[in-house]
Amino acid sequence: MFAERTGYIVWFSDSKAARGLDKYGTLHYLSRKMHYAVMYMNADVAEETVRNLQRLPFVRKVERSYRNEIKTEYEKNVPDKTRFYGL
């Protein structure tokens, strides 16, 4: 149904040229102050796209985002102490 997407952090040196990163994937966030961009692309073409991104003269480094691998569902192992403090 939906294609698997992966996130990448692209560090750049020229913020004006970095606005053209949207042709390589979905540009989610662009920080002009810290010189990085967060972008998402399809996982099946991500390897080839990262190689093309690294060839660009204004790109310093490309890092993979591990956000989708972080556990977001938590178990409640600690008992709720608020019920003991009732009136």
Side-chain angles (χ1 to χ4, degrees):
M1 192 160 129
F2 291 109
E4 184 71 26
R5 310 273 288 164
T6 56
Y8 284 91
I9 313 301
V10 180
W11 298 91
F12 54 83
S13 58
D14 184 15
S15 60
K16 190 171 183 180
R19 287 184 281 184
L21 289 174
D22 58 350
K23 45 185 164 175
Y24 295 98
T26 305
L27 190 60
H28 180 71
Y29 180 73
L30 186 77
S31 172
R32 290 187 179 105
K33 184 177 180 182
M34 295 184 64
H35 300 287
Y36 76 92
V38 179
M39 59 186 312
Y40 292 94
M41 58 190 80
N42 291 340
D44 54 347
V45 295
E47 215 174 284
E48 180 183 339
T49 307
V50 168
R51 273 190 256 120
N52 291 336
L53 282 172
Q54 289 172 340
R55 290 182 193 149
L56 296 174
F58 60 90
V59 173
R60 282 196 238 146
K61 183 170 55 168
V62 179
E63 296 177 353
R64 187 166 161 256
S65 173
Y66 295 102
R67 182 174 182 171
N68 59 350
E69 297 174 10
I70 295 174
K71 181 178 154 187
T72 57
E73 296 177 7
Y74 304 103
E75 298 174 4
K76 190 171 186 180
N77 293 334
V78 180
D80 188 18
K81 293 183 182 179
T82 58
R83 61 186 167 138
F84 297 117
Y85 300 120
L87 296 173

